[in-house]
Amino acid sequence: MTEANDALWGGRFATGPADAMAALSKSTHFDWRLAKYDLQGSAAHLKALAKAQVISEEERDVLLKAIDELAKRIDNGMFRFKPEDEDVHSALERGLIEIAGSEAGGKIRAGRSRNDQIATLIRMFALDASRAVEEQLLAYLDALCGKAEEYMGLAMAGRTHFQHAQPILLSHHLLAHAWPQVRNLQRLEDLRKRLKKSPYGSAALAGNTYGLDAQLVAEELGFSEPTENSIDATASRDLVAEFNFVLSMVSIDLSRLAEEIIIWATAEFDYVKLSDQYSTGSSIMPQKKHPDVVELARGKSGRIVGNLAGLLTTLKGLPLGYNRDLQEDKEAIFDSFDTLMLVLPAFTGMVATLEFNRSRLQDLSVAGFSLATDVADFVVRQGVPFKEAHEIVGKLVAFCEENGLELDELTREQYESISRHLKPELREVVNLSAAIESRNSAGGTSSKQVIEQMVKLRKLTGKVKR
């Protein structure tokens, strides 16, 4: 049996927990990373206890100094959790008592529970982690914008169903990968509004009886206000799930570009060349150059989404009030955050060092009859309903395929044999530059619109709160 000498409970138990029970219950191996937040929470709690005259100001000051000393010992490695410590809370209370003595140290637990503590600490972690993700996303967006600026004016084949559709600017395509991440930045900013409510003072379930100033504690910890309901505060982890959802969306949006780059880097496409700094080789095939950054980003997105699915499944069907199942929230969110923070810097560096094959992109931009829609628009401007124009151009494409011709290579007689609306002047329409620049509607692929969205993107990302 394991003794419960330093446990935060045990008075009503005749023995300590069985070894198997203690092993299952232990969480210090992952929640220790919350130690700094736990100490901050304890310091704020002491100030509230002193204000409510539960402890004296002298006791408050002694314990605050002990917290500072404990923080130093943690930083220099003099204090670590022991195998018998159940969680970060019990380990830190043990350390506080070692410094301040059991009489003073034992008073800090009044008016709080591990339930409201951990609900507060995970919010504090999520607030800091969201800002770290934001910084990395801003760096990634800067790299995307830089690449879009570098290759401004270069055409490529735009695709739907992964088939050639219409020619677009490469810059337009790259910026299409930026806007989802802007929305993810906005999601992070919006999430922080909900995270900035402090559960501290909710205690185990119903609040505390000491009249502790919850607003004081909230402000000390960087929150805006206390939570509205003590049961909800201790029983809910929807905000952790929401944070994991945003991390999942960030990783999914990275994975979509990753998939394209993997394809673009093949010999068949030859769109892009990866930097040696962001590639690896084969142990048996000397010629190989692997796009490992994007493959790992694509693979790890599944891991992050898996963490979200696991957490949501854990939360499903839990009755109100704290349940030990909620311990599962931390490993999931820690892993998702750590994984994304590994991926983002490497992905950003890979994007910043990409080299696009200008001639290859330009040459293939009009392949697959991608200017057919422009021909249909040419016919519509003659007063022909689009339904009919669609049929005419479909026949034109079929004729070209059968005869090995491009849209602008037919004779006058051949055009007229298909439709009287296919006039020779359409050769001026079947022009790559004209096709791109004609799409000048809001959000379109014309140079003017792409430059405008780039300016807007730079402005928006510059305004995101750091």
Side-chain angles (χ1 to χ4, degrees):
M1 293 291 182
T2 299
E3 297 298 323
N5 297 333
D6 295 314
L8 302 185
W9 52 273
R12 62 94 66 215
F13 290 83
T15 69
D19 290 344
M21 172 63 198
L24 175 63
S25 183
K26 207 176 303 296
S27 62
T28 41
H29 57 289
F30 59 82
D31 66 16
W32 184 249
R33 74 185 292 169
L34 298 175
K36 70 173 184 177
Y37 300 116
D38 194 296
L39 292 178
Q40 292 170 19
S42 292
H45 182 61
L46 286 171
K47 294 175 183 179
L49 287 174
K51 183 178 179 181
Q53 299 183 339
V54 178
I55 62 174
S56 68
E57 292 184 358
E58 290 75 18
E59 289 172 319
R60 176 200 63 195
D61 293 341
V62 167
L63 288 169
L64 287 175
K65 289 180 180 179
I67 287 175
D68 288 342
E69 175 60 27
L70 182 55
K72 292 176 184 176
R73 293 185 184 184
I74 292 172
D75 287 343
N76 62 27
M78 291 179 62
F79 184 86
R80 291 287 297 168
F81 64 85
K82 295 181 178 179
E84 58 267 27
D85 289 325
E86 185 178 18
D87 54 32
V88 63
H89 317 293
S90 57
L92 292 177
E93 183 168 309
R94 173 177 60 80
L96 196 61
I97 289 173
E98 287 176 5
I99 297 170
S102 59
E103 184 175 348
K107 292 185 176 183
I108 195 171
R109 207 186 304 168
R112 77 177 185 184
S113 161
R114 287 183 294 182
N115 297 359
D116 64 337
Q117 277 185 272
I118 195 59
T120 304
L121 305 189
I122 198 64
R123 290 183 184 221
M124 294 171 72
F125 166 81
L127 281 166
D128 282 351
S130 72
R131 296 185 185 100
V133 172
E134 178 183 274
E135 289 296 323
Q136 290 295 332
L137 274 180
L138 288 170
Y140 167 61
L141 289 173
D142 183 62
L144 267 182
C145 284
K147 199 55 57 176
E149 289 166 350
E150 180 182 350
Y151 288 94
M152 187 65 202
L154 177 61
M156 71 176 297
R159 296 170 184 268
T160 61
H161 307 274
F162 207 61
Q163 303 296 312
H164 282 230
Q166 295 172 336
I168 58 172
L169 291 178
L170 170 63
S171 300
H172 191 49
H173 187 95
L174 292 175
L175 294 181
H177 283 288
W179 291 103
Q181 300 293 7
V182 169
R183 293 192 291 276
N184 287 327
L185 285 170
Q186 292 166 343
R187 289 183 181 107
L188 289 172
E189 187 174 8
D190 191 56
L191 171 61
R192 284 196 288 268
K193 297 173 186 176
R194 288 180 286 283
L195 285 169
K196 284 190 173 181
K197 293 192 176 184
S198 169
Y200 232 107
S202 298
L205 172 77
N208 67 84
T209 62
Y210 297 101
L212 302 181
D213 188 341
Q215 183 63 38
L216 180 153
V217 175
E219 292 177 1
E220 285 283 328
L221 298 180
F223 293 101
S224 58
E225 59 184 326
T227 50
E228 294 84 355
N229 185 294
S230 60
I231 304 174
D232 172 59
T234 56
S236 300
R237 291 297 186 274
D238 56 294
L239 296 180
V240 180
E242 185 178 353
F243 184 35
N244 207 332
F245 166 75
V246 179
L247 299 184
S248 297
M249 283 309 310
V250 171
S251 69
I252 287 169
D253 292 331
L254 291 177
S255 185
R256 295 187 74 184
L257 178 55
E259 173 72 7
E260 291 182 333
I261 291 174
I262 290 166
I263 296 167
W264 291 350
T266 61
E268 289 82 359
F269 267 75
D270 192 25
Y271 276 12
V272 71
K273 180 181 178 182
L274 297 169
S275 166
D276 288 354
Q277 291 181 295
Y278 293 97
S279 307
T280 64
S282 166
S283 61
I284 189 172
M285 295 171 283
Q287 84 283 6
K288 294 297 292 296
K289 187 174 186 179
H290 296 153
D292 278 18
V293 169
V294 279
E295 288 180 342
L296 287 168
R298 184 177 60 179
K300 289 182 182 298
S301 67
R303 175 176 177 158
I304 295 173
V305 172
N307 287 335
L308 173 61
L311 178 56
L312 291 173
T313 305
T314 297
L315 297 179
K316 180 189 70 66
L318 287 183
L320 274 178
Y322 180 83
N323 297 274
R324 195 66 182 273
D325 313 50
L326 295 177
Q327 183 170 297
E328 294 299 310
D329 67 337
K330 285 172 284 299
E331 286 184 282
I333 198 63
F334 293 162
D335 182 68
S336 290
F337 170 69
D338 292 343
T339 299
L340 190 58
M341 291 299 283
L342 275 175
V343 168
L344 271 168
F347 204 96
T348 298
M350 180 274 302
V351 168
T353 54
L354 285 176
E355 293 182 21
F356 285 94
N357 186 336
R358 292 178 181 270
S359 60
R360 179 72 171 169
L361 285 163
Q362 195 85 12
D363 290 346
L364 292 179
S365 61
V366 293
F369 304 105
S370 63
L371 295 175
T373 307
D374 296 86
V375 178
D377 292 339
F378 170 81
V379 175
V380 166
R381 281 192 286 271
Q382 299 174 48
V384 177
F386 189 84
K387 182 178 184 299
E388 183 180 344
H390 190 286
E391 292 292 324
I392 292 170
V393 178
K395 292 177 182 178
L396 171 62
V397 169
F399 182 88
C400 289
E401 283 185 324
E402 291 170 5
N403 293 277
L405 298 170
E406 295 297 328
L407 295 174
D408 61 347
E409 292 179 344
L410 282 72
T411 65
R412 176 191 295 268
E413 291 75 19
Q414 287 172 321
Y415 282 135
E416 290 178 349
S417 70
I418 297 168
S419 172
R420 63 186 177 85
H421 297 292
L422 295 177
K423 301 176 181 179
E425 302 93 88
L426 72 78
R427 290 193 181 93
E428 298 174 9
V429 172
V430 187
N431 174 279
L432 174 61
S433 177
I436 288 175
E437 296 306 325
S438 68
R439 286 171 169 79
N440 198 36
S441 57
T445 195
S446 72
S447 299
K448 179 176 182 294
Q449 290 297 324
V450 171
I451 290 170
E452 284 185 8
Q453 70 165 298
M454 197 179 301
V455 170
K456 185 177 181 181
L457 183 63
R458 290 286 197 188
K459 184 177 180 182
L460 280 172
T461 54
K463 284 187 175 181
V464 173
K465 295 179 181 177
R466 304 296 178 103

